[in-house]
Amino acid sequence: MTQDRIPRPSPHTVPRKSATFDDYTLSEIRRAAATGIYDIRGGGAKRKVPHFDDLLFLGASVSRYPLEGYRERCGTDVVLGSRFASKPIDLKIPITIAGMSFGSLSAQAKEALGRGASAMGTSTTTGDGGMTAEERGHSTKLVYQYLPSRYGMNPDDLRKADAIEIVIGQGAKPGGGGMLLGQKISPRVAAMRTLPEGIDQRSACRHPDWTGPDDLEIKILELREITDWEKPIYVKVGAARPYYDIALAVKAGADVVVLDGMQGGTAATQEVFIENVGIPTLAAIRPAVKALQDLGMHRKVQLIISGGIRNGADVAKCLALGADAVAIGTAALVALGDNDPAYADDYAELGTVPGAYDDWHEGNDPAGITTQRPELAARLDPERAGRRLANYLSVMALEAQTIARACGKSHVHNLEPEDLVALSIEAAAMAGVPLAGTDWIPGRGPF
Amino acid sequence: MTAQDLTIDLASTTLRQLNQALHRLAPDTNQRYWRVLNPRGGHALAAGLDAPVKVEIDGHVGYYCAGMNKLATVIVNGNAGVGVAENMMSGLVHVRGDASQAAGATAHGGMLVIDGNASARCGISMKGIDIVVKGSIGHMSAFMGQAGTLTVLGDAGEALGDSLYEARLFVRGSVASLGADCVEKEMRDEHRAELGARLEAAGLAGTVDVAEFRRYGSARQLYNFHIDNVY
């Protein structure tokens, strides 16, 4: 007896995409093939790397005595530049605003950063391109960056500053110089930088008049002499070889060292540079602290950490690992309104979505922050944006205090590595704290 | 009131004391002439001046002499180390001997005159200064020069004017090689007039024939990124 068979398709697998050649990678190959030029974007590393989410605080218990809620005092103040400067900076919170240039940002954004930081008793920082009247006028404490390009650099502004930050590198691109494409070289930006309007400006990647740590020591001497030894002098490096770089900066005479991890943002750089050069912020802190400790300079030369700081927990973790303060850039821009869903339609026109927009170099920012186009910049109300930043800074400080009190600390600087554990072996090894539930610190002893 | 001359001996006075005294000068000070003895190669001498005074240093100086100078005239009766007159805004710095690397680096204004030779990277990232070197200059001079003039009576080393913006370069002698995007340009009357004015300001009027110079400037091919221009 025969039986009619119903034809069925052969079983097959569902479409499977490659983990190696994922959608983004494929799109980048197609983009490169079509254009013949590398991709440029703003922001920091987007790849997933061990970060502060991989650490937890232990909090107080039988063996530790906590402080009560928000009533018992938990200090947040920090003094920066006490090593040599006669006028160190006294901040009310250990969260500063990182260097971002007028040019990469609109004048309104710079003003808003100054307003927000000043409201919270902390500092903001200039960037490549010099000091604007807006940011000096609205920043009670302003750090003046001294960069390889020396755009807009002049001794009058140097003396107006509250501190000087010698920029050797930044976390998004250790070894790379600044980049500001022609769309953002407006007449005002061009005049401040002594450049023709509309050109693609590429800043020098190394300082023009010194090479190496011995020269840096003399350069710091010159800056101190010009400012009569009043101003704290910071040295900022991108996270690459933090132990040696921090040690050399201290040897050269820095009052403060700023260490920027690869998640730290940039106004514009090649994607391949951002994602493949430098090390994560988490991996950089402990070697830097060890360098300071080995030199007997921990807490004498202050350490500022930046690169992917998002909330009070991140702040507390940095401090617990040995930092004196943190600096925020990307998060501060988000607080002002960067990548806000309110501009979803505008982002769609630019071929992107809120949260992913990173073509800051093109100058078309719907939020009016990373642009020099007057009609876009006018969208940002500096007063309102400044209040948003102040609110955000306040929350970060409150969160850091909450954690510190839970750990029984009367000052956020009393947090220590012993308060931390790690959720992964990688994070434990990088941060130098035990894997949670064990007393094992990878690299420091057997499991 | 009469002008006062002061002599500072760095054998018995510290760098800090010297610079602090100079920084405290008011624009209308009568202490307009300062003589500095025994500099002994010290760094940052007369750095950060901001008054129309004359400081004459008898001897060799180290790094960053007259750095960020404004308004003042600084004379070095000797050789100068790295970065003499770096980031100068205005005034005059005159080195009667030779100068090391990065002379006049990033300077926005004023004039730097070097009687002898200047080493590598003379006028690097210059932003408006006028530099006159009576001798020769080293390699990579005027690298990324943005504005101002560099006048060389002798020869120029390799890679002159690499990545040049709008600085104007005049060289009387030979040029070992031109850097990326630097080209020789026609020497027209307005350029001869500009060169003559710079030479006159450097005290060389009538002693040098402007017709002996060649002019170099930016080809402006790197101003906007193009993949074919990658070196």
Side-chain angles (χ1 to χ4, degrees):
Chain A
M1 180 174 167
T2 60
Q3 190 173 14
D4 290 340
R5 299 182 63 138
I6 300 171
R8 293 181 180 173
S10 302
H12 60 83
T13 59
V14 297
R16 181 185 182 190
K17 292 186 176 179
S18 167
T20 302
F21 290 91
D22 60 13
D23 284 347
Y24 176 80
T25 302
L26 294 172
S27 69
E28 168 54 20
I29 291 172
R30 293 186 192 103
R31 190 208 59 76
T35 66
I37 190 171
Y38 44 59
D39 189 25
I40 293 174
R41 68 168 175 87
K46 292 187 172 183
R47 67 161 69 215
K48 184 168 177 56
V49 294
H51 198 43
F52 298 114
D53 289 338
D54 299 309
L55 300 182
L56 293 173
F57 283 98
L58 292 172
S61 184
V62 177
S63 63
R64 298 291 185 276
Y65 194 71
L67 297 185
E68 201 287 320
Y70 56 87
R71 293 187 182 86
E72 288 189 273
R73 175 174 169 72
C74 180
T76 60
D77 59 301
V78 60
V79 177
L80 301 174
S82 54
R83 183 185 185 192
F84 290 122
S86 64
K87 294 182 177 177
I89 290 185
D90 192 351
L91 303 181
K92 291 182 179 174
I93 59 173
I95 309 160
T96 68
I97 304 301
M100 292 174 276
S101 74
F102 168 68
S104 68
L105 301 186
S106 64
Q108 288 88 336
K110 292 297 289 180
E111 179 182 334
L113 291 171
R115 287 177 177 274
S118 299
M120 286 304 297
T122 190
S123 62
T124 187
T125 310
T126 67
D128 209 357
M131 181 188 293
T132 67
E134 290 94 333
E135 63 183 337
R136 177 64 280 186
H138 293 284
S139 303
T140 55
K141 296 179 175 68
L142 181 60
V143 181
Y144 189 32
Q145 285 197 328
Y146 188 78
L147 295 114
S149 73
R150 312 280 167 85
Y151 291 137
M153 178 71 221
N154 75 70
D156 295 332
D157 289 343
L158 199 70
R159 295 186 187 100
K160 287 180 201 166
D162 298 291
I164 300 161
E165 182 172 289
I166 300 173
V167 179
I168 296 171
Q170 62 187 97
K173 47 182 175 183
M179 184 183 289
L180 194 67
L181 301 191
Q183 299 95 315
K184 296 173 81 171
I185 305 290
S186 67
R188 185 182 179 194
V189 173
M192 283 183 67
R193 301 184 185 214
T194 322
L195 288 171
E197 290 177 30
I199 69 161
D200 294 337
Q201 173 253 294
R202 291 178 178 237
S203 302
C205 61
R206 54 182 184 266
H207 282 264
D209 57 354
W210 63 271
T211 53
D214 293 334
D215 281 7
L216 175 58
E217 184 172 355
I218 304 171
K219 173 53 69 175
I220 289 176
L221 169 70
E222 184 205 12
L223 295 174
R224 289 199 191 282
E225 282 295 323
I226 289 172
T227 55
D228 291 320
W229 290 73
E230 291 180 350
K231 319 288 184 189
I233 295 188
Y234 303 7
V235 173
K236 178 177 180 176
V237 296
R241 300 172 184 84
Y243 182 85
Y244 298 105
D245 289 338
I246 299 306
L248 291 169
V250 171
K251 182 264 179 190
D255 292 305
V256 176
V257 286
V258 182
L259 180 60
D260 190 27
M262 72 183 296
Q263 299 100 315
T266 172
T269 292
Q270 298 93 331
E271 156 87 8
V272 70
F273 203 152
I274 297 171
E275 294 290 353
N276 294 282
V277 183
I279 65 173
T281 306
L282 183 65
I285 301 176
R286 290 300 287 164
V289 172
K290 186 172 189 306
L292 292 169
Q293 291 169 334
D294 288 351
L295 293 168
M297 285 294 177
H298 191 218
R299 306 298 189 200
K300 295 175 184 172
V301 170
Q302 287 79 38
L303 175 65
I304 299 177
I305 294 294
S306 59
I309 311 292
R310 304 155 299 175
N311 52 46
D314 290 352
V315 176
K317 289 167 185 174
C318 285
L319 300 185
L321 291 173
D324 295 276
V326 303
I328 60 169
T330 302
L333 299 188
V334 172
L336 297 187
D338 174 63
N339 268 291
D340 195 313
Y343 293 110
D345 292 343
D346 296 288
Y347 289 122
E349 282 188 23
L350 296 171
T352 187
V353 295
Y357 176 64
D358 58 14
D359 289 328
W360 300 347
H361 58 291
E362 294 179 349
N364 298 319
D365 183 2
I369 295 170
T370 58
T371 184
Q372 293 300 315
R373 287 173 54 183
E375 74 278 14
L376 293 176
R379 291 182 175 187
L380 188 76
D381 177 349
E383 288 190 42
R384 182 171 175 273
R387 282 196 297 275
R388 289 170 56 90
L389 176 60
N391 287 341
Y392 171 60
L393 290 169
S394 177
V395 169
M396 291 179 87
L398 288 167
E399 289 175 341
Q401 285 176 303
T402 298
I403 288 171
R405 287 193 183 98
C407 294
K409 314 296 187 187
S410 61
H411 197 290
V412 291
H413 285 135
N414 293 341
L415 289 163
E416 53 195 321
E418 194 274 338
D419 292 315
L420 291 167
V421 292
L423 288 171
S424 71
I425 293 173
E426 290 87 350
M430 291 178 183
V433 300
L435 188 66
T438 78
D439 58 0
W440 181 44
I441 302 176
R444 299 199 189 169
F447 181 71
Chain B
M1 294 172 69
T2 58
Q4 300 172 12
D5 294 352
L6 291 99
T7 298
I8 302 292
D9 189 346
L10 287 176
S12 55
T13 305
T14 65
L15 168 71
R16 183 83 286 273
Q17 289 170 322
L18 169 66
N19 282 337
Q20 193 161 46
L22 291 169
H23 294 172
R24 287 177 175 168
L25 296 173
D28 58 350
T29 179
N30 278 326
Q31 298 174 333
R32 290 184 176 273
Y33 179 77
W34 295 63
R35 190 172 197 88
V36 179
L37 308 177
N38 293 306
R40 299 182 293 189
H43 306 309
L45 289 172
L49 303 192
D50 192 13
V53 299
K54 184 175 182 179
V55 179
E56 190 157 0
I57 302 171
D58 286 345
H60 306 311
V61 297
Y63 284 43
Y64 311 131
C65 178
M68 299 198 197
N69 184 56
K70 271 183 73 183
L71 302 173
T73 295
V74 178
I75 312 290
V76 178
N77 293 316
N79 301 324
V82 172
V84 62
E86 68 87 21
N87 214 89
M88 177 160 62
M89 305 303 291
S90 61
L92 170 67
V93 175
H94 187 169
V95 179
R96 295 200 190 279
D98 297 320
S100 184
Q101 300 181 63
T106 79
H108 290 70
M111 173 167 268
L112 169 63
V113 179
I114 298 167
D115 286 354
N117 303 306
S119 185
R121 291 174 277 277
C122 178
I124 183 171
S125 291
M126 54 195 287
K127 294 171 169 54
I129 187 177
D130 293 310
I131 302 174
V132 175
V133 181
K134 296 179 184 175
S136 299
I137 58 173
H139 67 273
M140 292 293 282
S141 288
F143 175 60
M144 296 182 86
Q146 296 172 230
T149 62
L150 171 60
T151 303
V152 184
L153 274 61
D155 304 326
E158 294 178 342
L160 176 70
D162 193 286
S163 304
L164 196 65
Y165 290 102
E166 293 298 312
R168 284 99 63 205
L169 316 181
F170 301 99
V171 182
R172 185 168 70 168
S174 66
V175 174
S177 66
L178 296 176
D181 209 34
C182 183
V183 294
E184 182 173 354
K185 294 189 169 184
E186 180 187 3
M187 190 82 163
R188 299 191 297 269
D189 286 345
E190 66 264 34
H191 306 121
R192 281 185 279 274
E194 179 179 39
L195 173 59
R198 299 296 173 270
L199 292 170
E200 182 177 358
L204 293 168
T207 66
V208 184
D209 183 359
V210 296
E212 296 175 356
F213 287 79
R214 300 167 83 170
R215 182 172 76 99
Y216 303 90
S218 175
R220 303 187 179 100
Q221 295 300 303
L222 298 180
Y223 275 15
N224 291 97
F225 186 77
H226 190 282
I227 194 63
D228 295 336
N229 290 333
V230 171
Y231 282 81

